[in-house]
Amino acid sequence: MVYDLIGRKRENIVLNSENWKTYNAAGRKRIVVTKPLPGDLWLNRLIDADCKVEVYTATDVLGVDALRAAIGTRCDAVLGQLTESWNDALFAALKSAGGKAFSNVAVGYDNVDVEAATRYGIAVGNTPGVLTETTAQMAVALTFAAARRIGEAERFLRAGKFKGWMMTLLLGELLWRKTVGVIGAGRIGSAYARMMVEGHKTNLIYYSPHPHPDLEADIAAYADFLVSRRQKPVSCKRADTIEDVLREADCVSLHAALNESTYHLINAERLALMKENALLVNTSRGPLIDEAALVEHLRKHPNFRAGLDVFEDEPDLKPGLSELDNVVIVPHIASATRWTREGMATLAAGNAIGVLSGCPAWNKPDISPFLAEDPPLASPSIINAEALGLTLFDK
Ligand code: DGY
């Protein structure tokens, strides 16, 4: 059925095959969008920029051959998904179709061979700044769901096993004035740390290749505030090693990007360093954890708990994981709030429009102007802007 996401230019909507919908067929630039995106701002902006927008509407993940076919012989830009492998072959295809931009509708871009894109002169965009609090909140939600056995308790109740209040029923862990460990203290990791420290008066130990003076200063100021209120202060420490975090923390949340050095960052040896009743939370990327080793560890240590939004072989789970009661699992929804997902779509469209219009690349951390009316004449976030020699918005 033909439908109009934005309620205008209906006459230009063409249903060209079962799984593709075309908006603004008269547009002069051809944009391929590999999955439906929420909201309509992204689409309005592409249409206003004279783009013909072709959206793949089915839920299956397009493989390399299907993506190559979608690019065809003429394509100016693609808005793609983190579930797709954007490799050398696809960038070669995009280049020969006249493409100039690939916009990953995600902040993480481990699915993109940025080096290959750069070689073909293709700008690669991502969507930072709109997922920070949303994803950190999911990490907090998983932390407490695991600590307080929410999944297990809900299954218990739904199964009709609740026979009345009982002192010993489903005892969990109290995360108050405990120590939280964060591995990777970028935007999301820092937001999670602040939520845990300021909301639950935990201490923080973090591991990050670079120090985060703003985070440390904020926590020091909060500690001073607590002292001024005659309360025990909180502390913040940057660990020398990941091992130090694992040994010391009561709860460890992973916020590192996936690359060769972070693949299986949590393995059997490192799990063995963690406290027997610790919590492990992952909202970053599944392969950060050796999931088979985690299953084994959870089996052997019933008081150890995990909260996972992402999985090593997504969408599949390693055998045994879903049968364990001491793990809470959700299907990669950490950024799934309407505001965030619409923001991601808008930034992704903005990246394509900015590159195709020859605009400079935005180089400030605050991307909020792109969500407002009259966005800046810039591409909000181009990962390889410098490597491509693109003009920067604010030099
Ligand atoms: C991202 O943007 O990288 C997230 O994983 C989506 O939730």
Side-chain angles (χ1 to χ4, degrees), residues 82 105-108 127 131 135 283-285 332 334-335 341 344:
L82 61 84
V105 192
V107 66
T127 65
L131 300 93
T135 305
T283 51
S284 181
R285 286 289 183 268
H332 204 151
S335 66
R341 290 283 168 87
M344 290 166 72

Side-chain angles (χ1 to χ4, degrees), residues 139-209:
V140 171
L142 286 171
T143 299
F144 286 100
R148 301 301 302 277
R149 305 171 66 177
I150 304 288
E152 208 181 332
E154 204 196 3
R155 285 190 295 278
F156 175 88
L157 186 58
R158 285 179 191 269
K161 294 184 185 164
F162 182 41
K163 303 295 176 214
W165 190 79
M166 216 167 54
M167 285 289 282
T168 52
L169 184 62
L170 289 160
L171 305 183
E173 297 294 334
L174 173 64
L175 281 177
W176 177 257
R177 296 264 182 208
K178 295 271 178 73
T179 296
V180 158
V182 165
I183 296 180
R187 294 186 202 224
I188 299 170
S190 292
Y192 171 84
R194 288 173 211 273
M195 288 177 193
M196 293 303 293
V197 171
E198 292 165 14
H200 308 279
K201 296 193 170 66
T202 61
N203 296 317
L204 174 69
I205 177 165
Y206 76 94
Y207 176 81
S208 171

Side-chain angles (χ1 to χ4, degrees), residues 92-337:
L94 187 54
K95 172 78 182 169
S96 61
K100 294 201 165 46
F102 170 72
S103 237
N104 212 36
V105 192
V107 66
Y109 50 88
D110 48 279
N111 60 312
V112 183
D113 185 342
V114 180
E115 227 177 86
T118 308
R119 244 183 289 118
Y120 291 107
I122 291 172
V124 176
N126 73 336
T127 65
V130 287
L131 300 93
T132 309
E133 278 73 30
T134 310
T135 305
Q137 282 184 352
M138 178 56 84
V140 171
L142 286 171
T143 299
F144 286 100
R148 301 301 302 277
R149 305 171 66 177
I150 304 288
E152 208 181 332
E154 204 196 3
R155 285 190 295 278
F156 175 88
L157 186 58
R158 285 179 191 269
K161 294 184 185 164
F162 182 41
K163 303 295 176 214
W165 190 79
M166 216 167 54
M167 285 289 282
T168 52
L169 184 62
L170 289 160
L171 305 183
E173 297 294 334
L174 173 64
L175 281 177
W176 177 257
R177 296 264 182 208
K178 295 271 178 73
T179 296
V180 158
V182 165
I183 296 180
R187 294 186 202 224
I188 299 170
S190 292
Y192 171 84
R194 288 173 211 273
M195 288 177 193
M196 293 303 293
V197 171
E198 292 165 14
H200 308 279
K201 296 193 170 66
T202 61
N203 296 317
L204 174 69
I205 177 165
Y206 76 94
Y207 176 81
S208 171
H210 314 286
H212 289 271
D214 282 356
L215 176 65
E216 293 183 19
D218 285 356
I219 294 178
Y222 182 58
D224 289 346
F225 166 77
L226 291 175
V227 171
S228 76
R229 307 297 300 163
R230 290 191 206 80
Q231 294 178 40
K232 200 173 127 206
V234 289
S235 67
C236 172
K237 169 164 88 180
R238 179 172 168 234
D240 291 334
T241 65
I242 290 173
E243 282 73 14
D244 289 344
V245 175
L246 299 175
R247 273 189 211 100
E248 204 170 308
D250 298 289
C251 166
V252 174
S253 191
L254 306 180
H255 298 281
L258 174 63
N259 54 44
E260 273 170 24
S261 72
T262 59
Y263 175 79
H264 282 188
L265 177 130
I266 300 295
N267 55 21
E269 291 73 44
R270 284 184 164 160
L271 284 165
L273 300 175
M274 295 181 73
K275 295 182 183 177
E276 188 143 332
N277 62 344
L279 307 167
L280 178 65
V281 174
N282 190 9
T283 51
S284 181
R285 286 289 183 268
L288 256 56
I289 298 179
D290 177 346
E291 202 171 293
L294 178 63
V295 169
E296 212 35 49
H297 192 81
L298 286 161
R299 267 194 196 128
K300 285 196 190 131
H301 302 88
N303 292 327
F304 186 96
R305 301 207 171 88
L308 307 176
D309 176 52
V310 287
F311 304 91
E312 188 168 352
D313 304 323
E314 223 167 286
D316 297 330
L317 308 182
K318 288 286 187 206
L321 187 73
S322 64
E323 284 121 57
L324 291 166
D325 259 337
N326 48 344
V327 61
V328 181
I329 44 179
V330 293
H332 204 151
I333 54 165
S335 66
T337 64

